[in-house]
Amino acid sequence: MIDGQQLWKKRMIAHLAEVRRYGRYMFNDHLLLVLFIGIGASAVFYKRAVDELVSFPYAVVASLLLAFAVTQGGVRTFVKEADAVFFLPIERRLRPYFWRAAIYSFFLHLYVSLIVFVVLLPLHFQFSSQPLFIVLLAIVLLTGWNMFVQWQEEARIGRDHFHTFVRFLTNATFFYFLFLQQYVWMFVPLLFMVILARYVEQKGRKSGLQWEQLLADERRRMQAFYRIAHAFVDVPHMKHTVKKRTSLRFLFRLLARLHMRPYTYLYVRTFFRAGDYFGLFVRLTAIGSVFIFTLPRGVEWFALLCSYATAVQLLSLRLHHRGHPLLSLYPISSVEAHRSFMSVLLTIGVNQAFIFGMVAYIAHGVFTMLSTFFIVFICYGAIIVYMRKKREAA
């Protein structure tokens, strides 16, 4: 007989052991030192920049960031491929298992949301009079509501990206009125939240568990972790996915006419279509651009932090096709492949530096644009030199 509590305990212990195993390679002494220096320097410049601000749209920025944090409320189930077959007849007995999965996921997402709010604290103390207890209570309630609604959609009803967008707007509206202390208007998103929760609960009762969707979500979350770990150590569990990117077909046709080197062409297409490399680049570039545009000083360090995070996570692109048997058919040396990867990484860095520089020029002027561009360019150049030295030493 299946015991849901014991099953969850075994799956949880196995997951933590795997995270610790790869975490030893990811958070080594060198990376921890860089993170410590980067976070410390960023915190100092961030505090100084906030102290110099006279006006700032804190309610808008904070509501959007917190809404984005609490909207990501999926439940980590740790389900495996065979569960869809063996556990299908005994779904009702697994309620203790999924209940513990919900509790674990709630505190995990709450932790992330609280980190976002901690980053916003200097701005909150200067531009908002809302008590911290009220904001923390709102974060807790909205994290639980989003996780409940998303669980019903993922596990029983079916995922809908439009519903996710609606939840994001609802969260942002609620936080916006909260920071403005417009408590009467807060009842509008609150009423919608109650109606939506009731709707998904009643609709979810009529359906069984969507095992294929649960497996796909769990696989996607684990692959995201493996992609980060793959930048530091070989991960045998990596499963690569390919995305169509129909909006970039014109770019692929242009690349085919440029007659570039084979590995260069392969890495460029891999960057756009495989895994989440392109999405990672877009997200970190967007986050860095927002900070560069809004902060009055120290924007170069935020650009450096975002560019370093981008470059480090893109290093796994070099190993994306390693071990593929078709690559051995081409009479191309590993030196040529390494050179092609470095040129692609440098091109990505130049584009990110150009974007950061343009945003800095619009918000701060020519000098900040030049300093931002060169700092980002030097960051990518230093990583490329380090990889070259590491390869020569090996």
Side-chain angles (χ1 to χ4, degrees):
M1 182 176 179
I2 298 296
D3 188 347
Q5 299 182 15
Q6 294 299 322
L7 179 62
W8 167 257
K9 184 177 180 180
K10 292 179 181 178
R11 295 279 177 91
M12 187 65 181
I13 292 175
H15 173 72
L16 294 178
E18 190 170 21
V19 171
R20 284 196 298 267
R21 182 177 62 173
Y22 290 114
R24 291 198 302 266
Y25 299 101
M26 296 167 58
F27 297 99
N28 51 45
D29 295 339
H30 298 87
L31 181 60
L32 290 176
L33 178 62
V34 172
L35 289 176
F36 179 77
I37 296 175
I39 294 175
S42 301
V44 172
F45 283 101
Y46 175 54
K47 185 63 171 64
R48 291 179 181 177
V50 170
D51 292 339
E52 295 180 2
L53 287 175
V54 179
S55 62
F56 185 79
Y58 171 73
V60 176
V61 175
S63 60
L64 291 177
L65 291 178
L66 288 175
F68 179 79
V70 300
T71 302
Q72 309 299 319
V75 176
R76 293 300 308 270
T77 57
F78 304 134
V79 293
K80 300 183 181 299
E81 300 288 343
D83 295 350
V85 178
F86 294 102
F87 291 164
L88 183 62
I90 55 171
E91 286 184 6
R92 296 184 181 276
R93 300 180 189 175
L94 295 177
R95 287 182 179 178
Y97 178 88
F98 289 115
W99 176 249
R100 282 161 177 76
I103 295 176
Y104 166 76
S105 302
F106 171 76
F107 284 104
L108 183 65
H109 293 298
L110 180 62
Y111 178 73
V112 175
S113 301
L114 291 178
I115 289 179
V116 174
F117 183 60
V118 168
V119 174
L120 294 171
L121 277 180
L123 290 169
H124 182 82
F125 289 137
Q126 187 161 343
F127 297 103
S128 178
S129 58
Q130 186 65 259
L132 292 180
F133 174 76
I134 302 298
V135 181
L136 294 176
L137 181 62
I139 293 175
V140 173
L141 293 178
L142 264 67
T143 300
W145 175 75
N146 281 274
M147 197 182 70
F148 172 76
V149 174
Q150 187 165 341
W151 165 252
Q152 293 294 331
E153 292 180 350
E154 291 180 350
R156 299 186 181 277
I157 302 174
R159 175 178 296 176
D160 191 334
H161 293 291
F162 178 73
H163 291 173
T164 304
F165 179 71
V166 170
R167 285 193 292 112
F168 172 77
L169 291 181
T170 305
N171 296 325
T173 305
F174 181 88
F175 279 119
Y176 179 74
F177 289 136
L178 177 67
F179 288 121
L180 293 181
Q181 296 182 338
Q182 300 290 333
Y183 299 112
V184 176
W185 288 102
M186 285 173 55
F187 282 99
V188 176
L190 274 176
L191 179 62
F192 179 78
M193 291 163 61
V194 173
I195 295 174
L196 183 59
R198 183 64 177 170
Y199 167 75
V200 296
E201 182 185 14
Q202 291 181 348
K203 193 172 182 180
R205 289 179 180 177
K206 302 176 183 178
S207 306
L209 289 177
Q210 303 292 327
W211 284 99
E212 294 298 329
Q213 184 64 49
L214 292 178
L215 288 170
D217 292 334
E218 189 62 28
R219 192 184 305 116
R220 174 177 51 84
R221 295 185 181 107
M222 288 306 300
Q223 290 302 312
F225 170 73
Y226 289 147
R227 278 196 298 270
I228 299 176
H230 194 53
F232 302 90
V233 65
D234 292 337
V235 180
H237 306 290
M238 282 285 294
K239 293 182 179 179
H240 304 304
T241 58
V242 179
K243 300 180 180 179
K244 292 183 178 181
R245 305 289 189 191
T246 54
S247 59
L248 298 176
R249 284 180 179 176
F250 72 95
L251 179 62
F252 299 145
R253 293 170 183 167
L254 178 62
L255 292 175
R257 297 177 181 178
L258 292 179
H259 301 290
M260 56 180 58
R261 295 173 177 175
Y263 270 101
T264 304
Y265 181 75
L266 177 65
Y267 284 132
V268 171
R269 288 187 66 93
T270 303
F271 170 72
F272 283 108
R273 295 193 58 186
D276 197 34
Y277 300 111
F278 182 66
L280 171 73
F281 172 81
V282 172
R283 287 192 296 270
L284 289 177
T285 304
I287 292 172
S289 299
V290 169
F291 278 104
I292 291 172
F293 187 81
T294 55
L295 295 179
R297 289 183 57 186
V299 297
E300 298 91 344
W301 300 108
F302 280 99
L304 175 63
L305 185 62
C306 290
S307 61
Y308 177 80
T310 305
V312 168
Q313 296 188 62
L314 288 180
L315 291 179
S316 60
L317 178 65
R318 179 175 59 93
L319 305 175
H320 188 89
H321 298 285
R322 192 172 70 172
H324 199 290
L326 292 179
L327 294 180
S328 59
L329 298 178
Y330 292 90
I332 302 175
S333 64
S334 59
V335 176
E336 178 69 20
H338 183 76
R339 188 181 297 115
S340 296
F341 170 74
M342 291 304 169
S343 64
V344 171
L345 183 63
L346 183 61
T347 303
I348 295 172
V350 170
N351 282 274
Q352 191 176 48
F354 177 79
I355 295 173
F356 285 159
M358 288 297 99
V359 176
Y361 173 74
I362 295 172
H364 306 287
V366 177
F367 179 77
T368 306
M369 176 195 73
L370 294 175
S371 60
T372 302
F373 180 87
F374 282 111
I375 284 178
V376 175
F377 182 78
I378 290 173
C379 173
Y380 276 88
I383 291 177
I384 290 174
V385 171
Y386 170 76
M387 293 297 296
R388 183 179 300 172
K389 297 293 184 182
K390 184 178 179 181
R391 178 179 175 81
E392 292 176 355

